[in-house]
Amino acid sequence: MRYCIFCGVKIPADAKFCQNCGKEQPETSGANAPEVTADETTDPATGVLASPKAKIMVGVGVFVVMIAVFTGTMILVNAK
Ligand SMILES: [Zn+2]
């Protein structure tokens, strides 16, 4: 018996897929199991990136767009 690397439920040692979440399991050895980083976690409910880093990146993107719009407005005002 071992555990699903994604949701943690008990699964048969020879199971290729988790019976709970359906995710494919790595080879039984477990030595070369893929490392799941926090940056790649997604919210299962929405499918949207849920990591704090992703939210920061979205925030920075919005900020940059606002600066670009503001700068463009200033240029138009000064051109008149
Ligand atoms: Zn699972």
Side-chain angles (χ1 to χ4, degrees):
M1 188 72 77
R2 62 198 182 110
Y3 298 89
C4 172
I5 63 169
F6 296 99
C7 67
V9 301
K10 288 181 179 179
I11 55 175
D14 60 347
K16 288 187 172 60
F17 297 92
C18 173
Q19 296 170 339
N20 182 56
C21 67
K23 295 278 183 64
E24 188 172 4
Q25 301 300 307
E27 294 302 315
T28 314
S29 68
N32 54 1
E35 192 168 318
V36 179
T37 62
D39 289 342
E40 294 173 349
T41 55
T42 55
D43 188 336
T46 62
V48 175
L49 281 170
S51 70
K53 191 175 181 180
K55 289 178 179 175
I56 291 171
M57 292 302 292
V58 171
V60 170
V62 171
F63 181 73
V64 169
V65 169
M66 288 179 67
I67 291 294
V69 170
F70 180 77
T71 303
T73 303
M74 286 296 103
I75 291 172
L76 287 174
V77 169
N78 291 334
K80 288 180 180 174

